[in-house]
């Protein structure tokens, strides 16, 4: 059996692993490595340090299906809806801009990382975390992959799904195997860098606002706020509310290299200004 390594346990890596398994059910062994402590990537869901049942989505907040993608990816949406991983967004999101007619928005009752976890489970892949890839070498017909704090391993194929800057930082043969146009395309990729702050509250805490999520305009710091359980329509008296705050891109770029302990008070101060009644 061919041994395939997928680097990155986010949405791209998990869907890739699932599709490979369904296309080649008996022909490959799939291994997934991620440098983080859990699955999700830009679809990360974090748990409260005091109550694992209380979660907050730090990355993607809801899934928007355009008419085009709803049609060509119909089987994906039907599968996720049938498993209860997606459900329609029915809560109020203030300031949402609809640029196209016929958009359908979905939320994830079990957290946005449940999409990634579903596809990883379907793939039957061996998934390993805390595996930070540093070098990739071509060794004849196979690939040697090196990581921090571990022995090199060999694979018949390697799929890189991590963010572009991390791909460009890889040592070994990856750079020399890229054509000049490929490297130029990768180097031209830019990201919307922002901070995400998750807040957890005790049970029975009330956050008296009429919306479940809101886009903020005019703030130099905060762009988006969501009360997670209310947004997902999964509020429970057993679990306190959780909130996520996304900063604006300019704020994220300005403070990109700073320690998070220095940035957190800046976000909290602005949040208190915007929501003075917040517990």
């Amino acid at each position: 059996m061919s041994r395939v390594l997928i680097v990155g346990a986010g949405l791209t890596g998990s869907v890739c692993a699932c599709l490979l398994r369904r296309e080649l059910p008996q022909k490959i062994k799939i291994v997934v490595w991620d440098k983080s402590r859990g699955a999700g990537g830009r679809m990360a869901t974090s748990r409260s340090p005091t109550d694992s049942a209380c979660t907050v989505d730090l990355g993607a907040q809801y899934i928007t299906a355009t008419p085009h993608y709803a049609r060509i990816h119909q089987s994906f949406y039907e599968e996720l809806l049938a498993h209860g991983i997606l459900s329609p967004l029915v809560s109020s999101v203030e300031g949402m801009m609809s640029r196209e007619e016929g958009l359908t928005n979905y939320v994830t009752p079990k957290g946005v990382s449940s999409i990634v976890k579903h596809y990883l489970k379907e793939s039957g892949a061996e998934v390993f975390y805390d595996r930070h890839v540093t070098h990739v070498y071509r060794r004849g017909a196979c690939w040697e992959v090196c990581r921090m704090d571990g022995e090199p391993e060999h694979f018949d194929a390697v799929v890189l799904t991590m963010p572009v800057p991390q791909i460009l930082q890889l040592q070994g043969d990856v750079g020399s195997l890229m054509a000049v146009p490929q490297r130029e395309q990768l180097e031209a990729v830019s990201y919307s860098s922002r901070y995400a702050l998750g807040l957890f509250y005790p049970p029975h805490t009330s956050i008296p606002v009429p919306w479940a999520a809101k886009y903020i305009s005019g703030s130099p710091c905060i762009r988006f706020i969501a009360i997670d359980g209310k947004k997902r329509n999964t509020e429970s008296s057993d679990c306190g509310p959780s909130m996520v705050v996304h900063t604006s891109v300019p704020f994220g770029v300005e403070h990109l290299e700073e320690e998070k302990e220095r940035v957190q008070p800046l976000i909290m101060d602005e949040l208190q200004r915007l929501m003075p009644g917040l517990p």
Side-chain angles (χ1 to χ4, degrees):
M1 295 178 72
S2 296
R3 194 162 181 249
V4 177
L5 173 66
I6 298 173
V7 184
L11 181 64
T12 305
S14 64
V15 173
C16 178
C18 179
L19 295 179
L20 279 173
R21 174 62 64 214
R22 291 175 179 177
E23 190 71 23
L24 303 166
Q26 305 297 327
K27 295 182 179 180
I28 56 173
K29 179 177 182 180
I30 303 170
V31 181
V32 177
W33 287 2
D34 196 284
K35 69 184 183 71
S36 301
R37 291 178 294 174
R42 269 63 185 163
M43 288 186 160
T45 301
S46 288
R47 299 185 181 278
S48 165
T50 57
D51 183 358
S52 62
C54 189
T55 63
V56 66
D57 288 329
L58 294 181
Q61 294 297 301
Y62 50 86
I63 308 299
T64 300
T66 65
H68 173 68
Y69 283 110
R71 183 178 70 256
I72 65 171
H73 291 164
Q74 181 180 356
S75 62
F76 291 90
Y77 287 108
E78 288 178 347
E79 177 180 343
L80 295 173
L81 287 164
H83 283 82
I85 295 166
L86 288 185
S87 64
L89 171 64
V90 296
S91 303
S92 171
V93 180
E94 286 193 10
M96 182 190 293
M97 293 184 294
S98 297
R99 298 185 179 90
E100 187 176 342
E101 292 295 322
L103 297 179
T104 304
N105 294 305
Y106 299 100
V107 289
T108 47
K110 299 175 184 177
V112 73
S113 67
S114 62
I115 299 175
V116 175
K117 292 175 181 176
H118 167 76
Y119 287 122
L120 287 176
K121 182 179 178 182
E122 287 289 303
S123 75
E126 286 188 278
V127 185
F128 299 92
Y129 301 108
D130 294 311
R131 300 219 169 169
H132 187 168
V133 174
T134 58
H135 298 69
V136 179
Y137 296 101
R138 186 70 164 151
R139 303 296 192 205
C142 69
W143 299 88
E144 181 179 274
V145 183
C146 306
R147 58 187 172 92
M148 289 184 181
D149 305 320
E151 294 296 318
E153 295 190 34
H154 292 85
F155 300 91
D156 297 287
V158 179
V159 183
L160 305 175
T161 76
M162 65 273 223
V164 168
Q166 296 176 24
I167 294 175
L168 294 174
Q169 290 168 5
L170 285 174
Q171 302 296 307
D173 295 330
V174 173
S176 63
L177 291 170
M178 285 184 200
V180 172
Q182 288 178 315
R183 174 171 285 279
E184 289 176 347
Q185 285 183 313
L186 292 176
E187 289 173 343
V189 171
S190 62
Y191 287 82
S192 295
S193 300
R194 69 188 75 226
Y195 281 91
L197 173 67
L199 302 171
F200 298 97
Y201 294 91
H204 309 295
T205 300
S206 174
I207 301 178
V209 294
W211 40 264
K214 183 177 183 178
Y215 286 91
I216 307 296
S217 59
S219 169
C221 173
I222 293 175
R223 182 69 182 103
F224 180 83
I225 303 171
I227 302 163
D228 243 33
K230 195 172 181 180
K231 178 194 70 182
R232 299 180 197 161
N233 201 27
T234 58
E235 291 179 290
S236 168
S237 59
D238 298 329
C239 181
S242 61
M243 178 183 288
V244 65
V245 180
H246 280 182
T247 69
S248 66
V249 172
F251 179 91
V253 172
E254 180 184 354
H255 298 278
L256 187 63
E257 302 301 328
E258 294 183 37
E259 295 293 329
K260 62 183 180 182
E261 290 78 13
R262 291 175 58 87
V263 179
Q264 180 174 321
L266 302 178
I267 303 172
M268 288 298 298
D269 288 347
E270 178 66 2
L271 182 62
Q272 291 290 348
R273 187 187 74 80
L274 294 171
M275 300 178 67
L278 188 66

